[in-house]
Amino acid sequence: MTDITKGNLRRSVLLLALPVVARMFLQMLVGIVDLAMVGRVGPAAISAVGMSNQVFILSAAILNAFTVGTTALVARMVGARQADQAKVYARQSLVVTFSVGLVIGIVLFVGAEPIMRFMMIAADDPDPDIIRYGTSYLRIVAAAEPLTFVMVNCYAILQGAGNMKAPLYIMGVANIFNVVFDYLLIFGIGIFPEMGVAGAALATSGSKNIAAVLGIVYLFSRYSPIRLSLKESFLPQKERILEIMNIGLPSAGEQLVRSSSTFISSMLVASMGPIAIAANQIIAKSMSMSFMPGIGFGHAATTLIGQNLGAKQPERAEQSGYTACKIASIFMLVVGLGFYFFSHEIAGIYTSDVAVRAAAGENLKIMAISQPFLAYVMVLAGALRGAGDTKFVMLVTLIGTWVSRVVVAWFLSIFLGLGLRGVWIAMVVDNLIRATMMVARYRAGKWKTIKVRSIAEPA
């Protein structure tokens, strides 16, 4: 495995980022195919799947309490040449994430229908089909939450160790399964029953379970950068778990703040009628494709910052963040231009409904404008997480998302009557606010002095 604490920095950034971008591309592509197939069932099906996924995004906030801390600590230990310490954090995080995923899965399964009804509370006349489809989707995907949490945590461990290729290959296999069984189960091909939205949920759950199993097998194999063994203790260690959560909890808060603001935003959109709901889901799914470079280079920055700080090279750590930002902003500018000039064609991939396509295409142009700002938000957030400066990232997210995505969105969309357009203008404001704050924090450099207790303490 390449030592990313030495050598050409741009090469190290690309080496780490491109496999993540490719993995996210596969994941988002499958999401697009998934939504496009579901879209053939009808606008209510699109709305139900999109709104249900907002719930799982909220559950991911809890997962972040462990995965972000795991990545940062594993990266520090690897950079400091303390492989045994890295394994301790990996084992502890796997045990805890499975347990927490089990609890959340049960809660979502039992509360699926009340959750969907709550999400539609702002609608004057809630569409019963959206509630019915959404309840079915929520329950089926909730059953996969324990292994979904494990899957994401496996990626976090490998990311901290600097291995970005294994998650790409695992995701590739899982996504092939997802697409094939989407087609077979949604439309009822051959011997398979026609299950519609429930079929999409089964394909999604199955693919996540496969990815989790493959991730676990890889971590225990001789190919793993930090090979785990059943001979080592998997009993919970309070101190280690608290260390992971000390870094991860602010990130969980950040994700919860962002997800809850998006959740409230979805409820605002729900009051605008079925066309706006369906268009909003199409915009969100389409724009998630543009996030791929930001996510990839953000992950690269997390690993580079963590390992270089662990190796006591703060200046190289700082330069890695700037290098990742520059490359990511170029990528996202190009992607943004594509979304701006081909917005209606992209919307047409998901639906043949003229009104939904027009609403989605118009607002895709608005969101495309903010892509370079979003690049800086995502990459510098990743860099600060790698340093353990997760509390500031949470603060930025709180200010940006709740001021813009909720307050500004309400003011523009409801008070001024701009409708869906007001919601997405508010998103652009959010990206601008957060980018400004992230740049200021990173340039101040205080994150270089954050200490990780375990480096100095024995296991």
Side-chain angles (χ1 to χ4, degrees):
M1 189 172 64
T2 304
D3 186 351
I4 59 174
T5 62
K6 301 175 182 177
N8 184 277
L9 195 51
R10 184 177 298 177
R11 180 178 178 276
S12 294
V13 169
L14 291 172
L15 184 70
L16 292 172
L18 292 181
V20 179
V21 173
R23 172 163 61 90
M24 298 308 300
F25 177 79
L26 286 176
Q27 186 175 341
M28 299 303 177
L29 184 61
V30 168
I32 288 174
V33 172
D34 195 20
L35 198 60
M37 289 187 188
V38 168
R40 298 300 177 257
V41 178
I46 294 178
S47 301
V49 171
M51 294 181 75
S52 298
N53 281 329
Q54 291 300 322
V55 177
F56 292 111
I57 291 172
L58 276 172
S59 73
I62 299 171
L63 178 58
N64 263 23
F66 306 100
T67 56
V68 171
T70 299
T71 297
L73 287 166
V74 168
R76 285 277 185 118
M77 298 306 116
V78 170
R81 305 296 188 267
Q82 296 185 25
D84 288 342
Q85 290 282 321
K87 292 179 183 180
V88 172
Y89 290 118
R91 295 195 300 270
Q92 292 299 300
S93 62
L94 285 171
V95 170
V96 175
T97 49
F98 177 81
S99 303
V100 173
L102 181 63
V103 172
I104 290 183
I106 292 172
V107 170
L108 293 181
F109 185 90
V110 173
E113 185 173 348
I115 289 170
M116 286 304 303
R117 291 191 179 279
F118 175 74
M119 291 188 73
M120 295 294 293
I121 198 170
D124 293 331
D125 186 20
D127 189 331
D129 284 337
I130 294 178
I131 294 173
R132 177 168 57 87
Y133 286 142
T135 299
S136 172
Y137 189 90
L138 264 178
R139 283 179 176 157
I140 294 171
V141 179
E145 282 291 84
L147 286 182
T148 297
F149 274 43
V150 169
M151 172 192 75
V152 177
N153 197 55
C154 287
Y155 296 162
I157 293 167
L158 292 169
Q159 177 190 334
N163 185 331
M164 306 297 202
K165 291 184 180 179
L168 169 62
Y169 301 145
I170 292 170
M171 181 66 72
V173 172
N175 283 350
I176 290 171
F177 177 94
N178 195 355
V179 170
V180 170
F181 279 88
D182 261 345
Y183 177 68
L184 296 175
L185 294 174
I186 291 174
F187 303 115
I189 305 300
I191 63 172
F192 295 92
E194 182 178 348
M195 300 180 68
V197 171
L202 282 172
T204 297
S205 299
S207 68
K208 290 179 177 179
N209 287 349
I210 287 173
V213 171
L214 292 175
I216 289 292
V217 169
Y218 185 83
L219 284 174
F220 280 83
S221 76
R222 62 187 178 91
Y223 302 104
S224 174
I226 49 170
R227 185 178 183 180
L228 303 183
S229 170
L230 289 175
K231 296 178 181 179
E232 298 164 328
S233 175
F234 280 81
L235 294 175
Q237 297 178 24
K238 180 181 177 181
E239 294 79 10
R240 298 304 186 194
I241 294 171
L242 289 176
E243 288 171 16
I244 292 171
M245 293 180 66
N246 185 51
I247 293 176
L249 274 176
S251 249
E254 172 207 344
Q255 178 71 20
L256 183 61
V257 165
R258 183 169 56 246
S259 301
S260 61
S261 66
T262 303
F263 188 90
I264 298 298
S265 177
S266 296
M267 292 177 67
L268 275 178
V269 174
S271 69
M272 300 174 192
I275 291 175
I277 296 173
N280 192 60
Q281 301 307 327
I282 289 172
I283 299 162
K285 181 61 70 175
S286 298
M287 292 310 301
S288 65
M289 291 290 290
S290 73
F291 300 164
M292 292 183 303
I295 293 172
F297 286 96
H299 281 301
T302 299
T303 303
L304 280 162
I305 295 285
Q307 289 202 20
N308 279 291
L309 288 178
K312 301 190 184 307
Q313 299 184 131
E315 297 310 313
R316 180 178 171 86
E318 181 178 10
Q319 286 305 313
S320 66
Y322 286 128
T323 302
C325 275
K326 291 173 185 176
I327 301 174
S329 61
I330 293 171
F331 270 81
M332 292 186 70
L333 176 61
V334 172
V335 173
L337 289 172
F339 274 95
Y340 185 87
F341 289 109
F342 300 100
S343 59
H344 288 79
E345 289 78 6
I346 292 170
I349 295 173
Y350 300 97
T351 182
S352 57
D353 187 294
V354 176
V356 173
R357 178 180 174 179
E362 175 186 340
N363 288 285
L364 272 171
K365 290 183 182 294
I366 295 173
M367 193 58 186
I369 295 170
S370 69
Q371 294 309 293
F373 304 129
L374 188 57
Y376 273 80
V377 171
M378 300 178 83
V379 174
L380 292 183
L384 293 173
R385 290 188 197 106
D389 193 9
T390 49
K391 291 179 182 177
F392 181 79
V393 179
M394 180 184 70
L395 176 63
V396 170
T397 303
L398 175 64
I399 294 172
T401 57
W402 275 89
V403 168
S404 59
R405 291 192 187 184
V406 177
V407 178
V408 176
W410 173 84
F411 179 76
L412 294 176
S413 64
I414 305 298
F415 187 78
L416 294 185
L418 294 180
L420 190 59
R421 184 186 302 177
V423 171
W424 287 96
I425 291 174
M427 294 288 189
V428 176
V429 173
D430 167 36
N431 290 335
L432 181 57
I433 291 173
R434 287 192 290 153
T436 302
M437 295 179 71
M438 290 289 188
V439 170
R441 179 69 167 194
Y442 194 77
R443 294 177 91 175
K446 292 182 179 180
W447 52 272
K448 297 179 193 176
T449 62
I450 294 175
K451 304 295 183 184
V452 176
R453 180 178 54 182
S454 304
I455 291 180
E457 293 182 0

